[in-house]
Amino acid sequence: MRIVGGKFAGRQLTSPNDFRVRPTAETVRAQMMKLLADDLEGARVLDLFAGTGALGLEAVSRGAKYVDFVEFRPSSLHALRANIAALRVSEKARVYKKDALPFADALPPERYDLAFADPPYESRMLDRLIERWLRAPWSRVLVAEHVRTHQLPRASKFVMLEDTAISIYRSTPAVIAAPPTLPPPRP
C-alpha cells in the first residue's frame, strides 16, 4: 500500500496484520482525491475510523493543512503512528485514541473542512454517523467509503468502483437572514 498522489506519491505505508482492517484501495483513494481536488488545499481534515491513516495522509500529501485521526484499535494505532513518522508529518497530524461515533457526537458545527468516514463494511455505524452529520454538520464535506450495496441517504455525489462506493455529502451554507424591508413612508 502506498500514497497515490501529491508530495508523498509512491511512498509506502505500513498496514497492520489484522483481518479487521481493510485499507482503502489505491484506486478508490485516487478516485476520491480526484473528486475532492478543489477541497484539499489548506483543508482541516478529520479521518474517522482511520486505520492506517491512508485517507488522511493522502489528503496531507495533496495540500491539506492538517489531519486529525480517530482510531482505537491497537494494531491500527501502531501502523498509523508509524506512517505519520515515516512521512515526517507529525506537525500536521494528531491522533485520538477514541471510538469514532462518540468523538463525532462531541464535535461543534463546522469544526473541519473535510471528513472521511470508512468504518467496517456493512456496519450500521456509518448510518448513525451520517444521520448525526446531516443534523449538525461538523465539516463542510463528509466522504463515506462503503460497500456499494449499503443504502445510505442521498449524497451530493455517488460513485461506484467495483464493490466499493464513495458517497460525498456537502453541507449547505447557513442562510443569513436579511433584515426585513420596510415599506416606503406614505406621503
Side-chain angles (χ1 to χ4, degrees), residues 2-6 29 33 53-63:
R2 63 189 174 90
I3 297 290
V4 179
R29 273 187 284 126
M33 296 304 145
L55 290 172
L57 293 170
E58 195 77 55
V60 167
S61 180
R62 295 168 188 249

Side-chain angles (χ1 to χ4, degrees), residues 83-104:
N83 290 331
I84 291 169
L87 296 178
R88 296 187 175 134
V89 293
S90 58
E91 73 285 351
K92 293 185 173 196
R94 286 185 293 194
V95 177
Y96 293 90
K97 184 181 178 180
K98 296 190 179 275
D99 188 341
L101 290 175
F103 184 90

Side-chain angles (χ1 to χ4, degrees), residues 9 12 15 20 23-24 32 39 43 46 59 84 98 106 120 149 162-163 169 175 186:
Q12 293 296 316
S15 188
R20 296 171 296 182
T24 302
M32 197 180 286
D39 300 296
L46 174 63
I84 291 169
K98 296 190 179 275
T149 56
E162 297 180 18
D163 290 338
Y169 298 88
V175 177
R186 294 184 188 231

Side-chain angles (χ1 to χ4, degrees), residues 13-86:
L13 296 175
T14 299
S15 188
N17 188 13
D18 184 340
F19 71 93
R20 296 171 296 182
V21 177
R22 178 200 37 80
T24 302
E26 290 179 13
T27 55
V28 175
R29 273 187 284 126
Q31 180 63 36
M32 197 180 286
M33 296 304 145
K34 182 179 176 182
L35 294 167
L36 299 168
D38 295 337
D39 300 296
L40 291 169
E41 189 62 39
R44 301 166 298 156
V45 177
L46 174 63
D47 190 349
L48 296 165
F49 310 97
T52 63
L55 290 172
L57 293 170
E58 195 77 55
V60 167
S61 180
R62 295 168 188 249
K65 182 177 182 178
Y66 70 85
V67 61
D68 288 344
F69 296 97
V70 181
E71 180 57 64
F72 71 93
R73 286 197 175 107
S75 61
S76 293
L77 284 166
H78 180 73
L80 172 60
R81 289 184 175 119
N83 290 331
I84 291 169

Side-chain angles (χ1 to χ4, degrees), residues 71-184:
E71 180 57 64
F72 71 93
R73 286 197 175 107
S75 61
S76 293
L77 284 166
H78 180 73
L80 172 60
R81 289 184 175 119
N83 290 331
I84 291 169
L87 296 178
R88 296 187 175 134
V89 293
S90 58
E91 73 285 351
K92 293 185 173 196
R94 286 185 293 194
V95 177
Y96 293 90
K97 184 181 178 180
K98 296 190 179 275
D99 188 341
L101 290 175
F103 184 90
D105 282 340
L107 290 173
E110 300 177 20
R111 171 68 177 88
Y112 295 95
D113 299 308
L114 178 61
F116 294 107
D118 182 15
Y121 274 13
E122 302 292 344
S123 165
R124 292 295 152 203
M125 288 185 283
L126 185 56
D127 301 79
R128 293 182 7 225
L129 187 77
I130 291 171
E131 286 171 13
R132 160 64 169 83
W133 184 88
L134 288 170
R135 283 194 313 270
W138 61 82
S139 61
R140 286 186 300 106
V141 180
L142 173 64
V143 183
E145 179 189 344
H146 52 96
V147 68
R148 70 184 291 170
T149 56
H150 192 148
Q151 296 295 314
L152 295 173
R154 185 179 179 97
S156 302
K157 186 86 171 170
F158 178 78
V159 176
M160 288 189 289
L161 303 161
E162 297 180 18
D163 290 338
T164 299
I166 302 167
S167 293
I168 299 176
Y169 298 88
R170 293 186 178 274
S171 66
T172 53
V175 177
I176 300 172
T181 55
L182 300 174

